[in-house]
Amino acid sequence: MNQEKTNHLEIQTPEGITFSLLLAGPITRFMAWLIDLACISTILTALGTIVALLRLISADAAFAALIFGNFVIAIGYGILCEWGWRGQTLGKRLFRLRVVDEQGLKLHFSQVVIRNLFRVVDSLPIFYMVGGVVSLSSRKAQRLGDLVANTVVIRYAPVFEPDFRQLMAGKYNSFRKYPHLCAKLRKNISPVQARIVLQALLKRNDLLSEPRVELFKTIADHLRPLAKFPEEAVEGLSDEQYVRNTVDVLYNRGPLK
Amino acid sequence: MIIDLPGFIQREKKYWDELENRLQYLEEEPFAALDLQQVERFHYLYERASADLGRLGTLASEPETQRYLEALVARAYGEIHEIRGNSHRFHPLEWLFKIFPQTFRRHIAAFWLTVAITLLGCAFGGLALALDPEAKAVLMPPQLLQSPQVRVKEEESAVHDRLAGVKGAFSAFLMSHNIQVSIEAFALGATWGIGTLVILFQNGLMLGAVVVDYVLAHETPFLVGWLLPHGSFEIPAILIASQAGLVLAGALIGWRKPLSLRDRLQAILVDLVTLLAGAALMLVWAGFVESFLSQYHEPALPYPLKIAFGCVELVLLICFLGFSGRREGKNQFP
């Protein structure tokens, strides 16, 4: 078994499918914890205000509520949030982090409780030093509480569905006049090359003008030898249009436009 | 080879959306019971999404769709392959009268070890104080360094209630502090039990020294009347939290257990939470008793009455932990 440190948690299902989850690093987790600390402080301030009103009825009861409330909130904030929000606190939500079971299974209440109670040890001696050191040396970036509770903290990126319509938007593709060359292009290009080409096109609007021109020139130069289209098909085509036509040929198998 | 991605997405998206809707329902309603037809459909959608992910991973080259599918399959996988019981709502009475005492008895060996270490600490502390009275400052906390006779005299001649108006706050402080100590005793079980054993021995050391100090000063009735009413719950509660720490240590060490560390920990997680919650509940009660009863002495409260109260509590606790839920427990797997 590979024991090297990794930033991905790979899970293989009994169906033979492998999916990976991006593990959160100690720095991001620490930032999320700072946000949670601010939340706890805010809740405690609110509790103090409520208790001040309770003092009008009984000062002793108010003070008791304040002491016990402080304790319960400090311990219970993480437990309640992570249980109610399926592995997230407010800080984790802001940083797109989530606590999950180490094997990708459902997070159980007992796991949430144990990992949060272990903050007592993980936070020793100050600023989560024990937890930080354990996390840095752990293969899956787990602090002590995570190791005992069999949990990991993952980062999840927002998932967007790619909009393929923007690639051609009904435009004429001169390559499609040559189906045999289109077939040759599909045959010669590797999936990795196709991925690069598609991603370049999808993210083209994020690029500055000069690097954009340079990038598409480099890609087009790589694509041209894969299938040599006649002069009339490529005449007047910019490098970016060449790449766009190629992507259309690769990913859109509809009728000729 | 590249697949016709837009066509593929167009064909499959309705199934992904359906799976997502079902997942959302299950996530919002964790106790929802699905009928056979719904389970079959859910399983079908999961397998279809898994197959799509496999196809996308090997044939195509669209990382965003792949990430979306991975997230969907990951969520569905968690729902489908989870076999640990989570289907029952929490029933407080059932938990208190069945699950907690059964869990306690299931790990009774760890409890006896906590008792033994505490008694060892008591013996050591008591002996040390008896042999070297000057060691008192080292063995006992600062608030108990006063001579027992002087303290008893002060307490018994007190005219005013020194806890008047702060009893609630004092009990809240005791509860919070003792639960915190219990959590520490438990969590230090992660040091293969060494930290837990050190805390137990240290507590025993202090307790033994206090007991011998008061006994040698012929203030035994005061001592028992002071400690027994809340100690009959407080000390067992700390021992139970430490029991959880030792159970954790046992799982970490895994001696003679043919299971992986993950499986060993998984097998005890619920038990750990049960023991800790039980200990916390006992400490809430002990906090009330210590604040409202233990701190009052003769002539306000006669010692025989306080001692009798403590004894009744202790007997009830022993009966509860020893016998509650025993009949139902016989049919359960260990």
Side-chain angles (χ1 to χ4, degrees):
Chain A
M1 197 169 76
N2 181 16
Q3 290 295 325
E4 279 176 21
K5 197 167 170 64
T6 173
N7 65 344
H8 278 87
L9 175 68
E10 291 227 331
I11 293 164
Q12 188 165 25
T13 72
E15 291 81 9
I17 298 298
T18 304
F19 56 86
S20 65
L21 303 167
L22 183 63
L23 294 168
I27 304 294
T28 327
R29 291 174 67 176
F30 186 74
M31 304 285 273
W33 174 75
L34 287 179
I35 300 284
D36 288 333
L37 204 62
C39 285
I40 292 172
S41 303
T42 311
I43 296 168
L44 292 181
T45 310
L47 179 74
T49 314
I50 296 164
V51 163
L53 295 173
L54 194 63
R55 273 169 111 171
L56 299 171
I57 303 164
S58 163
D60 185 29
F63 203 38
L66 189 65
I67 293 172
F68 203 60
N70 273 352
F71 176 73
V72 169
I73 288 164
I75 296 268
Y77 169 82
I79 296 174
L80 281 180
C81 287
E82 286 179 8
W83 181 235
W85 282 345
R86 299 180 71 87
Q88 288 188 302
T89 57
L90 198 68
K92 288 192 177 79
R93 275 196 163 201
L94 287 176
F95 283 89
R96 298 187 176 280
L97 307 180
R98 188 187 288 277
V99 183
V100 297
D101 180 89
E102 201 183 6
Q103 286 194 332
L105 300 173
K106 271 168 84 173
L107 195 61
H108 271 234
F109 183 66
S110 54
Q111 291 177 295
V112 173
V113 173
I114 295 295
R115 77 179 298 280
N116 277 290
L117 291 184
F118 256 83
R119 290 184 190 280
V120 171
V121 178
D122 276 317
S123 59
L124 290 173
I126 47 161
F127 295 126
Y128 274 81
M129 215 175 267
V130 168
V133 169
V134 174
S135 171
L136 283 171
S137 57
S138 155
R139 197 166 70 91
K140 295 173 190 166
Q142 292 165 291
R143 63 174 174 83
L144 213 52
D146 288 318
L147 286 168
V148 172
N150 284 327
T151 54
V152 287
V153 182
I154 58 157
R155 274 185 81 174
Y156 64 95
V159 181
F160 301 111
E161 202 179 297
D163 184 7
F164 290 97
R165 286 165 302 178
Q166 62 157 317
L167 298 182
M168 289 308 289
K171 286 178 185 156
Y172 171 75
N173 184 351
S174 55
F175 290 6
R176 286 193 176 266
K177 267 188 169 177
Y178 308 93
H180 65 291
L181 291 176
C182 290
K184 193 176 175 187
L185 180 62
R186 286 187 190 125
K187 181 173 167 277
N188 288 345
I189 198 165
S190 70
V192 177
Q193 285 172 320
R195 176 182 299 174
I196 292 167
V197 172
L198 177 64
Q199 287 308 306
L201 208 56
L202 285 171
K203 289 173 181 162
R204 66 189 188 280
N205 291 330
D206 300 337
L207 301 170
L208 294 171
S209 312
E210 274 184 38
R212 179 171 170 169
V213 170
E214 208 170 310
L215 175 72
F216 281 103
K217 182 182 182 313
T218 312
I219 295 174
D221 288 346
H222 273 90
L223 292 173
R224 281 187 186 104
L226 299 178
K228 289 195 172 153
F229 286 92
E231 193 59 37
E232 65 207 52
V234 295
E235 193 182 355
L237 274 187
S238 69
D239 291 328
E240 188 171 322
Q241 281 170 321
Y242 191 97
V243 173
R244 207 155 60 176
N245 282 3
T246 305
V247 168
D248 181 49
V249 167
L250 294 174
Y251 289 97
N252 287 326
R253 302 258 176 124
L256 287 174
K257 288 178 180 148
Chain B
M1 184 186 161
I2 314 295
I3 61 170
D4 174 12
L5 198 55
F8 173 72
I9 291 176
Q10 204 177 8
R11 262 196 325 276
E12 296 300 311
K13 183 119 190 2
K14 60 183 176 193
Y15 296 105
W16 302 343
D17 287 343
E18 190 183 339
L19 180 60
E20 180 139 27
N21 287 339
R22 280 171 193 256
L23 278 170
Q24 201 153 352
Y25 169 71
L26 285 172
E27 286 167 1
E28 283 165 7
E29 299 283 337
F31 302 110
L34 303 180
D35 61 33
L36 183 62
Q37 208 178 353
Q38 287 172 316
V39 172
E40 279 177 348
R41 181 69 182 165
F42 183 57
H43 188 248
Y44 168 75
L45 292 169
Y46 163 68
E47 292 214 312
R48 188 162 186 133
S50 296
D52 289 344
L53 178 62
R55 216 175 148 203
L56 210 58
T58 54
L59 301 179
S61 50
E62 214 312 290
E64 304 230 317
T65 312
Q66 194 167 340
R67 267 206 299 274
Y68 166 75
L69 262 186
E70 276 191 347
L72 197 63
V73 170
R75 283 165 67 197
Y77 168 78
E79 294 288 342
I80 295 243
H81 288 279
E82 181 56 81
I83 52 164
R84 291 172 292 176
N86 196 29
S87 58
H88 300 293
R89 285 180 195 276
F90 178 65
H91 299 292
L93 289 179
E94 187 193 0
W95 176 85
L96 182 62
F97 291 106
K98 265 175 69 179
I99 295 169
F100 172 46
Q102 283 173 0
T103 307
F104 168 79
R105 292 194 294 270
R106 199 157 46 241
H107 302 288
I108 195 72
F111 180 76
W112 290 130
L113 184 57
T114 65
V115 173
I117 297 297
T118 306
L119 288 177
L120 191 70
C122 281
F124 194 82
L127 204 64
L129 193 82
L131 296 175
D132 180 13
E134 285 181 9
K136 188 172 173 176
V138 181
L139 294 168
M140 285 161 61
Q143 67 270 24
L144 292 176
L145 291 179
Q146 193 182 21
S147 153
Q149 285 102 336
V150 174
R151 186 186 167 197
V152 172
K153 199 176 171 188
E154 275 180 13
E155 297 274 7
E156 290 182 349
S157 59
V159 181
H160 300 292
D161 179 3
R162 63 189 164 87
L163 287 177
V166 292
K167 279 197 273 288
F170 183 54
S171 66
F173 164 75
L174 291 169
M175 289 170 201
S176 309
H177 175 262
N178 289 336
I179 293 172
Q180 179 79 21
V181 170
S182 301
I183 294 171
E184 283 168 10
F186 154 69
L188 285 172
T191 57
W192 294 282
I194 296 166
T196 304
L197 295 179
V198 169
I199 284 189
L200 284 171
F201 187 79
Q202 201 179 8
N203 279 348
L205 204 71
M206 205 161 57
L207 186 64
V210 170
V211 168
V212 168
D213 193 29
Y214 277 76
V215 169
L216 290 179
H218 304 291
E219 298 294 355
T220 311
F222 175 90
L223 173 80
V224 181
W226 165 46
L227 289 184
L228 197 59
H230 68 275
S232 56
F233 265 66
E234 188 182 291
I235 296 169
I238 304 279
L239 295 181
I240 288 173
S242 305
Q243 176 190 17
L246 293 184
V247 170
L248 169 64
L252 288 173
I253 296 165
W255 189 51
R256 286 186 178 177
K257 288 176 185 164
L259 294 170
S260 68
L261 176 63
R262 185 194 143 79
D263 289 341
R264 295 198 303 268
L265 287 171
Q266 195 150 294
I268 57 151
L269 278 184
V270 177
D271 288 359
L272 297 183
V273 175
T274 302
L275 290 173
L276 285 170
L281 209 59
M282 288 164 69
L283 287 170
V284 169
W285 172 249
F288 273 120
V289 174
E290 183 167 2
S291 181
F292 288 87
L293 184 77
S294 294
Q295 302 300 328
Y296 295 92
H297 311 283
E298 280 186 347
L301 272 176
Y303 294 134
L305 185 70
K306 290 177 75 182
I307 293 168
F309 180 78
C311 287
V312 169
E313 275 183 308
L314 196 58
V315 169
L316 286 177
L317 183 65
I318 291 169
C319 291
F320 168 72
L321 291 173
F323 302 105
S324 188
R326 195 170 270 273
R327 189 173 293 172
E328 292 88 344
K330 278 180 182 172
N331 297 327
Q332 289 190 347
F333 290 109

